[in-house]
Amino acid sequence: MALRIGGGGARGRRLRAAGKTTRPPLARVRTSLMDTLAGRLEGARVLDVYAGSGSLGFEALSRGAAECVFVESDAAAVAGIRADAAALGLEKNARVVRGDVAAGLAALVADDGTGFDVVFLDPPFKVDAAAVAEEAAVLVARLGVLVWRVPRGRVLPPRVGVLALTRQRRYGISKVGSYT
């Protein structure tokens, strides 16, 4: 089954699902998330943490986001994200930060104080990303949103930093929470 972008200007275009740890969200999960974020994506700065295939960030770019920073540690996944950015003609809109996720987020805090309008946090299900979520929350712009995907049985905390859980929804084996 091919991984494809579900909407926007690049709708139907294929993405590579590279890397041994890549577990991209199902198309219906990505579509539902993007529909929920529709009013926030046009011209948005997006951060895709634990990017894997980059499918969430590429969906956002396809639907009008101005920029996406992908943070990923797996070398094969990083190569896949870079190749997809080139194939989609989005090299100018996509920036890849390779390495330990926590260190990558710390570098972004030092790099740029403007924040991100949308932050996707989609760690491998075996990873407890509570500390990374706190780091990511610092990067959310004043009126931005943090979207965190976890295994269905995991409890999402009511707050992450200064952000409050405002919505959560189950999708098969996963649960997605939105913090604003």
Side-chain angles (χ1 to χ4, degrees):
M1 187 164 111
L3 181 61
R4 295 182 185 272
I5 295 177
R11 180 183 176 146
R13 301 282 302 271
R14 288 180 186 241
L15 296 175
R16 301 164 50 132
K20 295 176 183 171
T21 60
T22 300
R23 178 199 31 82
L26 296 173
R28 71 181 178 100
V29 176
R30 292 191 318 270
T31 299
S32 179
L33 282 176
M34 296 306 146
D35 289 347
T36 302
L37 297 169
R40 296 176 179 265
L41 291 176
E42 190 64 38
R45 292 188 73 225
V46 175
L47 176 61
D48 190 350
V49 184
Y50 293 103
S53 66
S55 64
L56 292 172
F58 285 121
E59 281 284 351
L61 288 169
S62 178
R63 294 170 187 245
E67 168 190 12
C68 184
V69 176
F70 298 88
V71 180
E72 176 57 51
S73 61
D74 185 85
V78 166
I81 292 168
R82 288 184 175 139
D84 284 336
L88 296 169
L90 296 171
E91 308 95 334
K92 293 179 182 175
N93 307 82
R95 177 176 155 210
V96 182
V97 176
R98 180 174 180 242
D100 176 70
V101 171
L105 291 178
L108 290 174
V109 170
D111 238 17
D112 187 331
T114 59
F116 291 89
D117 303 301
V118 178
V119 175
F120 294 114
L121 181 62
D122 189 10
F125 280 177
K126 65 182 178 187
V127 172
D128 179 8
V132 172
E134 293 286 335
E135 287 287 325
V138 171
L139 295 168
V140 175
R142 189 170 155 275
L143 297 174
V145 61
L146 169 70
V147 178
W148 188 0
R149 182 172 172 234
V150 297
R152 185 171 81 182
R154 188 166 294 158
V155 176
L156 286 165
R159 297 194 75 75
V160 176
V162 299
L163 305 175
L165 180 63
T166 54
R167 179 184 176 180
Q168 63 180 308
R169 185 152 180 215
R170 288 178 22 186
Y171 300 94
I173 63 167
S174 64
K175 180 178 1 180
V176 177
S178 296
Y179 291 83
T180 54

